Amino acid sequence: MNERDSNALAADLLKRGYELTDNENAADILLFNTCSVREQAELKAVGKIGILKKLKKKKPDIFIGVLGCMAQRRGNELLKELPHLDFVIGTDQLERLPDILEKEIIKREQISLTEENSEMPSTLTEHIIKTNGVSEFIAIMRGCDMYCSYCIVPYVRGREKSRPIPEVVDEVNKLADRGIKEIMLLGQNVSAFGLNQNTKVRPLESPFADLLTEINKINEIKRIRFISPHPFFFNDKLINTIVEHFPKICNNIHLPLQSGSDRILKSMNRRYNINMYMDVVNKLKSKIPDITFSTDVIVAFPGETEDDFNNTRRVMNDVGFDNAYIFKYSPRAGTPASKYEDQICQQLKEERNQILLKDLTERTTKHNKAMEGRVFEILIEGESSRNAQKWSGRTSNNKVAVFDHNPNLRIGDIVNVHIDRSTSMTLFGSIISS
Ligand code: 5AD
Ligand code: SF4
């Protein structure tokens, strides 16, 4: 989401005559879009901004601003801690960045802008598309009402707010006109898109499924992906819509698990148990060929026993995730879990993290091996990052495939590739037809 916001803000500033630079010593304005989900991310950002004190001393005319979650969480306090900072703009006020810059240019003073806004911003819709860009993110909703007990997001991104379907479709159409082939729909809880406080209690409908159906109608878009759905809202309507629109809706679903233990899920306030989670997985597996799942998992949540952890290991194996973001639990001030007893020591966090990472590599290697000798559709993304002589793209289930360049084909085409060999990270193949 931050990457998407940064892109939209940069596109907005470009339109207003600003220029982008990737050389921080040449910049007149330095902006940091920050994440607060884990403490480490905040520490890194504060460290980096702290180092800029020297640059600001040398070049007092530059502006330094902090945007996003950490700005929202710490506001004025951040301006005090880092007096060389000019402004902080929280998550609900990002679209005011151009105004703030103008204000700063006229009258330099420290500004903190962190009010909540219950409306979805309507201006963060611009896109800077890389040359030959194939894939783009679209933010369809913001905020989160789930209050998982470990998570800071509901406090820093505020209440859930969804965009109207026609507005999203319009943005997709504009991207399609600019040559984009793949859309990644973004939100903290995309499967609750468009639901209100009443419909959310027992969600029988799925406005998110309706959105998928509308985007499915746009011919130039070849692939649709989304992150992240919450399993609680993954109802039959949504499952059937995904099945109906496969393969345009890709057969890799990112479904955050967080833990494989019912006891821990309860303590995390996740609103599902492993039976409910597996029900979604099994329904999708039974209906979509070669479907794969990826996930987010937290290790060493307060009170996680060896048994709980082994349950997570087992469920991860049962689902067969071949990609997973594995996080060590990080206590966030203001969240219920940060006050729970039985916080787990760093060493155990590290050990459990390593065990899951090792399982994951073994599983992925095995899955990729099983893809050898078969043919998959690959969306061509461009030159391979490791070898400019080769091209690379992705399978529908989101695996990177590298193959020989063919002058008849263009970036953005979908080709059939025979997989010859693989590693845990990459498939290597040959084009058999276009
Ligand atoms: N500690 C560790 N991981 C966290 N996440 C959210 N909050 C925390 C926390 N306090 C993880 C969850 C979520 C992902 C975006 O970040 O797994 O799905
Ligand atoms: Fe955080 Fe995701 Fe839970 Fe929302 S659903 S509180 S963003 S972990």
Side-chain angles (χ1 to χ4, degrees):
M1 185 64 89
N2 274 8
E3 205 179 317
R4 170 67 203 120
D5 285 344
S6 302
N7 183 293
L9 288 169
D12 192 17
L13 293 178
L14 275 181
K15 249 182 37 186
R16 292 165 195 261
Y18 291 86
E19 281 173 33
L20 276 176
T21 172
D22 42 22
N23 173 3
E24 68 185 37
N25 292 310
D28 299 313
I29 303 167
L30 289 123
L31 300 172
F32 293 86
N33 198 2
T34 54
C35 171
S36 291
V37 169
R38 283 165 297 278
E39 191 186 16
Q40 202 51 35
E42 285 202 8
L43 293 176
K44 227 167 120 184
V46 169
K48 174 70 196 166
I49 299 159
I51 292 172
L52 291 179
K53 200 169 177 176
K54 268 195 194 148
L55 185 68
K56 180 97 177 188
K57 245 199 177 130
K58 235 174 44 193
K59 292 170 68 182
D61 289 343
I62 61 173
F63 296 96
I64 306 178
V66 175
L67 318 175
C69 294
M70 185 171 69
Q72 184 70 36
R73 199 176 80 79
R74 302 194 53 198
N76 273 319
E77 180 199 315
L78 206 57
L79 293 177
K80 281 196 200 115
E81 183 182 330
L82 301 163
H84 59 292
L85 258 186
D86 295 287
F87 56 90
V88 297
I89 306 181
T91 45
D92 270 350
Q93 300 289 335
L94 289 179
E95 58 184 341
R96 292 189 53 199
L97 173 65
D99 297 347
I100 298 300
L101 285 173
E102 270 174 35
K103 256 198 201 148
E104 285 284 355
I105 291 165
I106 296 164
K107 181 168 178 252
R108 188 176 278 270
E109 59 180 358
Q110 279 198 315
I111 297 176
S112 164
L113 214 63
T114 56
E115 299 93 70
E116 270 209 31
N117 180 356
S118 58
E119 299 289 308
M120 182 80 179
S122 54
T123 54
L124 291 175
T125 56
E126 297 288 331
H127 288 256
I128 297 178
I129 298 181
K130 283 183 279 177
T131 319
N132 287 327
V134 169
S135 183
E136 271 296 300
F137 293 150
I138 294 193
I140 61 166
M141 65 180 315
R142 286 168 186 276
C144 185
D145 293 346
M146 296 307 285
Y147 289 96
C148 300
S149 65
Y150 50 81
C151 185
I152 194 94
V153 167
Y155 308 93
V156 290
R157 285 199 171 264
R159 300 290 55 74
E160 274 174 20
K161 30 206 172 256
S162 299
R163 295 173 68 189
I165 290 182
E167 196 183 295
V168 178
V169 171
D170 185 53
E171 192 172 330
V172 181
N173 269 315
K174 285 188 179 139
L175 291 171
D177 289 346
R178 293 170 72 185
I180 291 302
K181 305 283 185 232
E182 180 182 79
I183 291 294
M184 171 72 97
L185 303 172
L186 296 178
Q188 260 76 37
N189 181 7
V190 286
S191 47
F193 170 87
L195 294 173
N196 61 38
Q197 292 311 325
N198 298 327
T199 48
K200 233 185 246 171
V201 184
R202 274 188 68 238
L204 299 173
E205 278 310 299
S206 175
F208 179 56
D210 300 336
L211 174 68
L212 291 173
T213 300
E214 287 307 310
I215 298 177
N216 182 64
K217 292 179 189 158
I218 303 173
N219 281 337
E220 297 82 353
I221 297 298
K222 303 291 177 214
R223 288 183 171 177
I224 305 168
R225 300 184 189 276
F226 51 86
I227 45 172
S228 287
H230 189 293
F232 181 78
F233 300 96
F234 225 106
N235 57 16
D236 283 349
K237 166 97 190 273
L238 179 53
I239 292 174
N240 293 336
T241 303
I242 293 171
V243 173
E244 194 183 330
H245 302 321
F246 170 76
K248 189 137 145 182
I249 298 183
C250 290
N251 64 355
N252 172 259
I253 304 287
H254 186 80
L255 194 60
L257 170 71
Q258 311 300 2
S259 169
S261 149
D262 283 345
R263 203 177 67 83
I264 295 294
L265 285 174
K266 193 148 200 251
S267 165
M268 287 177 161
N269 191 29
R270 285 292 288 177
R271 297 176 66 184
Y272 55 85
N273 57 30
I274 292 306
N275 270 341
M276 289 157 75
Y277 186 95
M278 289 309 289
D279 191 43
V280 175
V281 167
N282 289 332
K283 279 181 180 160
L284 285 163
K285 274 187 178 174
S286 70
K287 293 175 179 168
I288 299 182
D290 293 320
I291 192 166
T292 57
F293 292 88
S294 53
T295 201
D296 292 350
V297 166
I298 298 176
V299 290
F301 183 79
E304 184 186 75
T305 62
E306 202 64 26
D307 262 5
D308 294 320
F309 173 68
N310 283 328
N311 281 334
T312 300
R313 244 185 125 177
R314 184 179 44 78
V315 174
M316 287 185 79
N317 242 327
D318 290 350
V319 179
F321 295 115
D322 57 0
N323 197 9
Y325 299 94
I326 300 161
F327 303 107
K328 290 171 270 187
Y329 170 70
S330 166
R332 308 306 289 127
T335 61
S338 67
K339 295 183 220 91
Y340 289 177
E341 286 173 7
D342 304 329
Q343 299 281 331
I344 290 180
C345 69
Q346 197 55 33
Q347 192 194 337
L348 201 50
K349 282 185 184 172
E350 202 56 63
E351 276 174 29
R352 291 182 177 172
N353 184 44
Q354 288 306 324
I355 292 171
L356 293 192
L357 282 173
K358 191 162 165 281
D359 285 357
L360 181 66
T361 312
E362 283 172 10
R363 245 190 336 262
T364 314
T365 311
K366 224 162 82 188
H367 280 184
N368 289 359
K369 274 253 160 301
M371 290 172 82
E372 291 177 8
R374 296 182 58 196
V375 174
F376 292 90
E377 287 190 340
I378 309 287
L379 173 64
I380 303 178
E381 291 177 351
E383 279 174 6
S384 155
S385 56
R386 295 251 173 109
N387 178 354
Q389 306 306 311
K390 302 258 183 191
W391 271 14
S392 91
R394 273 169 205 274
T395 60
S396 174
N397 66 8
N398 215 13
K399 298 207 177 256
V400 174
V402 173
F403 44 91
D404 278 335
H405 178 258
N406 175 331
N408 298 326
L409 295 168
R410 285 187 320 220
I411 290 168
D413 285 347
I414 291 187
V415 286
N416 286 322
V417 171
H418 177 273
I419 306 303
D420 305 323
R421 63 187 180 87
S422 67
T423 64
S424 68
M425 303 288 285
T426 316
L427 307 169
F428 297 88
S430 355
I431 294 173
I432 58 163
S433 75
S434 55

